[in-house]
Amino acid sequence: MVPRTNDNEPEHETDRGPATEGTAAPMAPMAPAATADTATETTSGAADAGRSAAGVDERVAALRRVAAAGRRLRGGRVAGCAALLAVALTAGSIAVGNIRDGDGRGVAAAPGAVAPAVLASGDLDSSIGTLQAHLRAQPRDFGGWATLGLAYVEQARVDGDPSRYPQAERALDRSLALEPEGDQALAGLAALAAARHDFTGALDFVGRALKQNPYNERALATRIDALVELGRYDAASKAADTADTRRPGIPVFTRYAYVRELRGDVRTARRVMEQALDNAVAPGDVAYVATALGQLAWSQGDYTTALDHYARALAADDTYLPALEGRARAQAASGELAEAVRGMEAVVARAPLPGALVALGELYEERGAEGDRDRARDQYALVDAWTALARAGGVNPDLDTALAAADHGDADLALRAARAEWSRRHTVHTADALAWALHVGGRDEEALPYARRATATGYRNAAFLHHRGMIELATGRTKDARASLTAALELNPGFSPSAAREARAALKSLGAE
């Protein structure tokens, strides 16, 4: 969330020259680049690895004020946090980052990416500016419009700036007007729909793009993302195999790995991502894949390895927020509480979004210094304010809301949000959120089937096991509760300061410790 300097969109109505293939200054991706024409090629596919071992408007200004205000959070109490967000969001905008599940893993799909030439350097702003200048001179370049649209999607994802989405849509529509059913623009619209959490719509655009070009990497990758986010894991696995066959490379490798992880095949997921990291060249690719490996190691309780991966990610890009947040979580799990607090404060200072705010609040509670209880409450209050203003701005924050409100807010709000999200998509994450919201509301018998569903795929997640164990305990299933809670702590004993403490206390009450 940094001030942008490329807010002047190219003219849309005046044709100034013949259609040409556009080029732009390169830049580095914040996530693996999934493009229509070029992939980071490797010597073998992921399956082989698995088998072998428009102008500056008020909304933009609002986001800048959120970022500036966030940088002031480190100095002390977050006084007047609701007012802070209210002032920042007077134009009806909201700073929205990647939706997070309960363990800090990213679950929003379709990270943005554009053509490799545009993704090779580290300056997204100047690259978009170059594209805009090119399109003012060559407004009939349909490929340039498609690339610009994808760049806006990436910019929105990186900065949590939803004002970029209408710009992206206009650019992609312009590309389609110049080349009807062009696969680059259709794949871009699929990515845009996924970024807006319209995963069904994303699949529709994917189908149209692949009809035109079965090898469009962006479309192949977005199909995996959308199917995962809709909970259609069998179909996602088949889509990953297809993408790996057609376009093996970093964007497909990372998605292939995540599908395997959701099935409980951590070994294959790790091997595939290690191969992806070996083949990563661009700093953005290195940071992304190394961070994904760090998150996987952390989720399995291997904090030393996680910290090594985060160090590699930050060596490639020392501003990469997911790596900074992951490092703080791993430091906390390793007992390095002071470093963890400082690290999470730095993350919140740049992007005061729900996942990091909750994590920082829990770190304050764990530290227990003078004033820390109030500091923790401030973080949770800021999440509450973010949720209310997000809804007022037309944003769907239901998964974030359900998880944060269940642990640190309003139980009724948590249940409403979880039910709303479950009505849209049936994933392991939405099942877990609904189970926990029902538990917090005292409806444990109703919660238990959802808790079981959240763990049914084999996905190894300590937070899910903790939730299931507490629900089993509340329903009198003490043997099952002991097994689930023990599994959570054996898998990742530092998954959450407060939740791990609760799990240990519950096991002690059962005579298991």
Side-chain angles (χ1 to χ4, degrees):
M1 293 169 57
V2 295
R4 289 295 173 196
T5 59
N6 54 23
D7 297 300
N8 295 316
E9 290 191 81
E11 298 173 17
H12 285 236
E13 301 303 326
T14 303
D15 292 346
R16 296 186 177 180
T20 62
E21 287 294 329
T23 60
M27 64 185 174
M30 297 296 288
T35 71
D37 299 306
T38 305
T40 302
E41 297 294 346
T42 63
T43 57
S44 61
D48 293 334
R51 286 188 293 267
S52 68
V56 179
D57 60 21
E58 285 301 313
R59 291 175 296 176
V60 175
L63 288 163
R64 294 171 181 167
R65 291 195 293 272
V66 169
R71 287 190 289 271
R72 295 193 292 272
L73 298 183
R74 296 184 66 182
R77 294 281 309 279
V78 189
C81 56
L84 167 70
L85 281 176
V87 169
L89 301 170
T90 51
S93 177
I94 184 74
V96 185
N98 288 340
I99 299 299
R100 300 276 177 180
D101 69 18
D103 63 6
R105 302 290 300 275
V107 299
V114 296
V118 181
L119 289 171
S121 87
D123 193 343
L124 182 59
D125 287 347
S126 67
S127 298
I128 290 178
T130 299
L131 276 169
Q132 291 168 333
H134 167 78
L135 288 166
R136 279 191 287 272
Q138 300 288 346
R140 296 189 62 80
D141 178 6
F142 58 83
W145 286 109
T147 301
L148 180 62
L150 282 168
Y152 282 142
V153 174
E154 174 73 355
Q155 196 171 64
R157 186 193 67 81
V158 170
D159 285 350
D161 179 357
S163 72
R164 295 296 174 191
Y165 292 146
Q167 290 178 289
E169 188 169 14
R170 288 194 295 272
L172 293 164
D173 285 345
R174 175 69 168 174
S175 179
L176 279 182
L178 291 166
E179 186 192 29
E181 294 301 294
D183 68 288
Q184 294 182 58
L186 290 169
L189 287 167
L192 176 61
R196 287 170 159 169
H197 296 172
D198 177 11
F199 300 111
T200 300
L203 287 177
D204 290 340
F205 283 118
V206 162
R208 290 169 61 187
L210 292 177
K211 183 178 179 180
Q212 300 299 317
N213 177 7
Y215 294 89
N216 185 305
E217 187 185 59
R218 158 59 68 177
L220 290 167
T222 301
R223 179 165 64 180
I224 303 169
D225 293 335
L227 290 169
V228 164
E229 292 301 327
L230 290 169
R232 297 169 57 184
Y233 299 128
D234 288 340
S237 182
K238 293 177 182 177
D241 288 337
T242 298
D244 181 48
T245 299
R246 294 181 186 175
R247 297 301 300 268
I250 288 174
V252 172
F253 275 27
T254 52
R255 289 161 171 87
Y256 185 103
Y258 186 54
V259 170
R260 294 301 180 268
E261 183 187 353
L262 287 169
R263 292 296 195 189
D265 189 359
V266 173
R267 180 177 298 178
T268 297
R270 182 185 303 111
R271 186 178 300 118
V272 169
M273 285 195 290
E274 286 171 348
Q275 180 173 332
L277 186 58
D278 287 343
N279 286 278
V281 176
D285 283 346
V286 173
Y288 181 85
V289 181
T291 296
L293 279 164
Q295 290 171 333
L296 182 62
W298 174 86
S299 73
Q300 306 303 301
D302 186 354
Y303 308 132
T304 299
T305 298
L307 288 168
D308 288 343
H309 285 307
Y310 292 132
R312 182 166 181 182
L314 293 169
D317 180 356
D318 62 4
T319 68
Y320 191 53
L321 276 173
L324 292 168
E325 182 176 338
R327 183 178 65 180
R329 292 178 185 272
Q331 288 170 332
S334 302
E336 302 172 13
L337 190 58
E339 292 85 351
V341 170
R342 285 195 295 270
M344 200 63 75
E345 285 175 339
V347 171
V348 166
R350 285 178 54 193
L353 298 173
L357 288 166
V358 169
L360 180 57
E362 292 184 351
L363 288 174
Y364 284 142
E365 290 188 49
E366 182 73 5
R367 186 174 67 177
E370 183 178 356
D372 273 352
R373 186 179 296 274
D374 290 335
R375 293 187 184 96
R377 280 198 295 265
D378 289 335
Q379 309 312 307
Y380 307 143
L382 189 51
V383 174
D384 292 342
W386 181 91
T387 298
L389 290 165
R391 292 189 184 282
V395 175
N396 168 25
D398 283 327
L399 186 58
D400 273 315
T401 299
L403 292 167
D407 283 327
H408 304 290
D410 182 332
D412 291 336
L413 173 62
L415 184 54
R416 288 195 303 274
R419 286 198 187 281
E421 194 65 21
W422 181 256
S423 71
R424 287 185 286 269
R425 52 194 181 114
H426 294 179
T427 72
V428 292
H429 297 97
T430 54
D432 171 70
L434 181 53
W436 195 237
L438 287 164
H439 164 74
V440 171
R443 302 166 69 168
D444 292 289
E445 289 292 347
E446 187 179 352
L448 187 56
Y450 294 104
R452 288 172 172 166
R453 182 162 180 166
T455 56
T457 68
Y459 182 41
R460 291 165 56 80
N461 185 303
F464 289 10
L465 290 166
H466 161 249
H467 290 166
R468 176 171 174 165
M470 296 306 297
I471 292 167
E472 289 166 338
L473 181 61
T475 58
R477 295 169 172 83
T478 56
K479 182 178 179 181
D480 292 340
R482 185 180 293 109
S484 295
L485 294 170
T486 299
L489 293 173
E490 287 179 349
L491 175 63
N492 184 3
F495 69 95
S496 161
S498 60
R501 186 167 52 249
E502 181 180 56
R504 287 192 295 269
L507 284 172
K508 185 175 181 180
S509 73
L510 291 170
E513 287 190 348

